[in-house]
Amino acid sequence: MPVRNLTPHVVTVVDEDARVIRSWPSAAEPARVEAVRIPVGHLDDATCAGRVPLVAERRTRANLPEPQEGVWLIVSSVVGSAHPERSDLLVPTDLVRDCRGVVTGCRSFAVSGAPPRGGPPHQGSAREEDAAGSVAVADRTPA
């Protein structure tokens, strides 16, 4: 199945031994969600040197392409959470970090907005899981 990376970073998936399984280049025009911050008050705490502002955030929708049959989109967790109706979004998870704490890869993807065992929407398809837990989406549309 085709996978498109819509993040501003190279996304690299590694196995448990840190061997690269696959990488996708960063997007020229990444999907972004903006936050509009609305002041709601202050946190008054005697241990603080001043008042800490409290804000509410309202997030915009991301500039995602329309869903395409059989295509996955790699997005950030913020973009994924802004679009719970989409089941074609993959969010890097089980992040791998270097000695400075910088993310260098991930070990898996979380399917955003879908049931835990869901795949991208495919009319007439069935999901098959092998003994190792790998999932394939098989087309079951009558010919």
Side-chain angles (χ1 to χ4, degrees):
M1 293 174 108
V3 177
R4 291 180 51 202
N5 180 9
L6 296 182
T7 74
H9 311 284
V10 172
V11 173
T12 301
V13 179
V14 299
D15 65 14
E16 292 300 321
D17 296 320
R19 290 181 301 226
V20 174
I21 296 171
R22 177 75 195 271
S23 288
W24 291 268
S26 59
E29 294 183 33
R32 302 245 188 229
V33 171
E34 294 183 26
V36 176
R37 291 176 186 85
I38 302 158
V40 295
H42 290 86
L43 176 65
D44 292 317
D45 186 342
T47 63
C48 296
R51 294 172 13 147
V52 177
L54 298 176
V55 298
E57 285 190 343
R58 296 236 165 54
R59 298 191 182 263
T60 62
R61 306 280 290 169
N63 55 332
L64 293 173
E66 291 297 317
Q68 292 181 350
E69 182 79 19
V71 177
W72 293 102
L73 303 174
I74 302 172
V75 298
S76 70
S77 60
V78 173
V79 170
S81 65
H83 293 273
E85 77 285 358
R86 300 275 300 250
S87 60
D88 60 337
L89 306 181
L90 302 176
V91 175
T93 190
D94 196 6
L95 302 178
V96 177
R97 299 177 186 275
D98 67 13
C99 61
R100 296 174 310 208
V102 176
V103 174
T104 60
C106 68
R107 291 192 183 93
S108 59
F109 291 115
V111 179
S112 178
R117 297 174 68 133
H122 296 283
Q123 186 172 5
S125 64
R127 298 179 76 255
E128 297 177 358
E129 187 169 336
D130 66 18
S134 296
V135 176
V137 178
D139 189 5
R140 296 291 170 90
T141 305

